[in-house]
Amino acid sequence: PLDEDEPATWTEACNSPYADNWREGYEEELASIRKHEVYELVPRSSVPKGRKVIQNKPCFKLKRDQDNNPARFKVRLVA
């Protein structure tokens, strides 16, 4: 079963009671991506005709401790 506290979209995450926690998890993911040089950001205007820009979206996972309290708000960007 899905955790009702795990948002399906970024909008849901921003409107949830844990919005600040999800935003912090998202920032951690972006920092990790930058640190590991996973991508190269290019202006859309430089993308050749006929080529597609890879879209991505955040996926959310709420990790809980042994007492079922929220422990970590994990966000991953997936293409």
Side-chain angles (χ1 to χ4, degrees):
L2 293 174
D3 189 329
E4 65 275 357
D5 291 326
E6 290 178 3
T9 66
W10 180 249
T11 301
E12 285 181 20
C14 289
N15 292 323
S16 82
Y18 298 118
D20 290 339
N21 302 90
W22 290 121
R23 194 168 289 110
E24 184 179 319
Y26 187 73
E27 290 296 327
E28 286 175 11
E29 174 69 354
L30 291 177
S32 175
I33 287 172
R34 284 187 202 104
K35 176 183 172 187
H36 293 98
E37 300 179 353
V38 172
Y39 69 97
E40 181 181 342
L41 191 61
V42 297
R44 283 187 183 268
S45 59
S46 71
V47 176
K49 276 193 170 197
R51 294 294 185 128
K52 292 184 179 181
V53 174
I54 297 174
Q55 301 294 316
N56 65 60
K57 69 176 194 169
C59 291
F60 306 91
K61 182 67 181 169
L62 179 57
K63 305 287 186 170
R64 295 183 177 274
D65 63 17
Q66 64 271 17
D67 297 323
N68 206 31
N69 297 314
R72 180 142 190 245
F73 294 81
K74 199 157 176 82
V75 180
R76 290 288 179 242
L77 281 178
V78 295

